[in-house]
Amino acid sequence: MNKELNIVQSKNVFFAILLIVAVVLGILTPGAAVNVDEQLHYPHAKKVVDWYFTGGKDKSCLDTPITNLKYYGQSVDNYTALVNRVFHFENEFLVRHYTGAFFFLLLCFFSGLVSHQLTNSYWISSVTVLVLVFMPRLFGQAFGNLKDIPFATGYIAGVYMIVRYLMELPKPKWETAILLGAAIAFTCSVRIGGLILFGYLGLFGVLYFVLKPFELKHIVSTRPCFVRLTGQLIVIIIIGYFAGLLFWPYALQNVLKNPLESLGVMEHYKVSIRQIFEGDVIWSTQLPWYYWPKWLLISTPEFVFLGFFTYLFLLFKSGLRQNVQGFLYESFLIFSFLFPIVYVLLIKSNLYSGVRQLFFVLPPLAIISSLGIHRFFKLSIKPAYRYAGTILFFLLMLMPFSHQAKTFPVDYIYFNSFSGGNKSAWSNYEYDYYFHGLKEPAGLLKEMTGENKIIVASNCNLSNYFDDLPNVTYRYVKYLERSSYDWDYGIFGVNYIHPYLLKNDKWQSTTALKTFYHKGNPIAVLLIRKSKGDYQGIVELENGNYFDAEHELIYSLDEDPQNVWLMVQLAKIYLLKDDLENFNKYVQKGREIYPLYEPFYLLEAQKLYNENNFRASYAKLEELIQINRRYKPAKLLLQEVKDKLDIN
């Protein structure tokens, strides 16, 4: 009786916690920030919907030579575009964010179910939900990340259904087989990497029969059982593969070839993105092998590692002594966490933006951590030790919770104490790569401008904050090159600003109206353009009016003395005028602020080329390539120098 009462109580607690999480998500959703990927994937989702509504006549969703978006299933993005098109919701991003919150809730639900499968305890299911909620990197992207969070949901749902299917052997229910197929289909519909679940089913199905050979003999020798299993596997494959392609136009062009082509593209993504890692700027295709493991170590809360390593210690201390089924299912859980990590490291996948591309391994990690605390609490040791260790686990949860409460909607930027915290990580690692920090300055600017016609410049694509203001024109502008464009106000995130400038406080402009902080670190800045002399000077330079350009740029540089782009333009003028004294003056002056700035190397190489010193010019370009091997403006001069030196 007491046991049954405990089960009912623990199950009620589990669902009560899920309800609380649902309420919190519902309250937070309207305040969530839009991320830069939403402005990339959502317009594509609208094109996907157009493809269906036009019967395939609108093929714009199939023509993505730069973004490669046709290779993404992105079914959840597509679903939100469909809902917004049918119901005409005014705030389309709010619909997306509620959808994201729903899938995060499902992620918690299925993770809790897996915990229950392995322990038969809903108390551990409740702990698992808390672990997931207090992982800021995961929870902080619950609203706008409609790729990684739904994929993680499908992945852990697939793990749950595979375990359930194996548990029901030798006579699994048809319901289980169909739901397993549906879980795989959904995961593949988000990203084709969900095909991995077929491999899991096959591998651990084989291991199941290795550990229980008599059941295999029974199935093979019993025709109804054999036919049933064969039929179920066929249904799982058909549903899991083909149903996952239904909302993916590119896959439907060739249902066998294109999904596999997409898998190859995703495994070896060719688009390289500059990343700040260990205080340096590195292209993502050149990051060291330990990039993702280190990110996991520095961005995962301490309590998760406490539970994880407790689990491993107790597992090996027990000598792996478990019943056959318990060993199989826990091995599967560990495998579902470790295998994707090992696999992407072995094939040298192009990973970037912290841990998010492997978010789907975090739920298995959370479950393992919960199991560790569960096992520790059941140890035959002094009660004081058991309670102290368990209390410590939950007390450590307060650290990320405090961070989340203070920093929402920019709470996904979290670094644990092992890394030195956010203060130490700023300018050493990617910080606000999703540009959540621009929500606050955008809100402030909207309040300030009223109905005045203005041009807003920003170094990201988050024009959505001004979509409801017809008087605002939004323009993408690189922060350092901001003087080359016409704008009135600028909202700039610090992401992609070189660590040297950040660490030496040489990135700030005197035109800053307000700097916005995250845990004491600058995260965004709002600029007001007091004069457009810098822009006019560059326009005059482009028109060949060097005298007027020089006058405007010198005056503007006096007003904004750390604007290295103006120094580049002045150096360019003096190079064109063959005034090498002033040329060297502004190159040197600019280098005092930003010694690694590529345009200075290019200008010096051009000067040496003009002097017919081709070998020295080539050496200077080699220095530039060492700093940034993908600096496109140097391509033409480099080829000209190679031609002069007869270098292939």
Side-chain angles (χ1 to χ4, degrees), residues 335-409:
F335 187 82
S336 69
F337 167 63
L338 290 178
F339 175 75
I341 300 172
V342 174
Y343 181 72
V344 298
L345 294 181
L346 288 176
I347 67 172
K348 299 179 181 179
S349 289
N350 179 10
L351 301 175
Y352 50 85
S353 298
V355 295
R356 74 170 181 83
Q357 289 172 307
L358 290 181
F359 264 174
F360 61 94
V361 303
L362 296 186
L365 173 62
I367 296 167
I368 293 170
S369 179
S370 303
L371 290 177
I373 292 305
H374 170 64
R375 297 253 169 94
F376 178 81
F377 190 73
K378 291 177 66 177
L379 282 177
S380 299
I381 57 176
K382 290 183 178 180
Y385 295 155
R386 287 193 290 114
Y387 284 110
T390 305
I391 291 172
L392 175 63
F393 177 81
F394 287 102
L395 284 177
L396 287 175
M397 283 186 181
L398 296 177
M399 296 169 66
F401 170 71
S402 174
H403 166 90
Q404 291 169 302
K406 293 176 181 177
T407 61
F408 180 81

Side-chain angles (χ1 to χ4, degrees), residues 9-23 126 129:
Q9 288 177 337
S10 62
K11 189 174 184 179
N12 289 341
V13 169
F14 171 57
F15 282 102
I17 289 177
L18 285 174
L19 179 60
I20 293 171
V21 172
V23 171
S126 300
V129 173

Side-chain angles (χ1 to χ4, degrees), residues 532-571:
K532 295 189 179 181
D534 54 342
Y535 170 66
Q536 292 164 356
I538 293 174
V539 171
E540 294 294 342
L541 169 58
E542 292 173 349
N543 291 333
N545 302 321
Y546 302 148
F547 178 81
D548 292 339
E550 180 183 1
H551 173 76
E552 291 286 0
L553 292 174
I554 289 175
Y555 178 80
S556 298
L557 185 59
D558 288 339
E559 294 293 307
D560 194 4
Q562 292 195 142
N563 191 330
V564 288
W565 188 243
L566 297 184
M567 298 174 197
V568 169
Q569 305 309 312
L570 284 165

Side-chain angles (χ1 to χ4, degrees), residues 263-307:
L263 181 62
V265 170
M266 293 296 105
E267 287 183 340
H268 299 284
Y269 199 57
K270 293 182 180 179
V271 176
S272 195
I273 300 173
R274 295 191 87 181
Q275 299 286 287
I276 297 177
F277 184 65
E278 295 182 335
D280 198 4
V281 176
I282 308 172
W283 288 100
S284 60
T285 49
Q286 298 171 313
L287 287 165
W289 68 267
Y290 59 86
Y291 171 80
W292 194 89
K294 182 163 187 180
W295 259 99
L296 180 70
L297 288 174
I298 65 177
S299 64
T300 303
E302 295 84 347
F303 75 88
V304 178
F305 287 125
L306 175 62

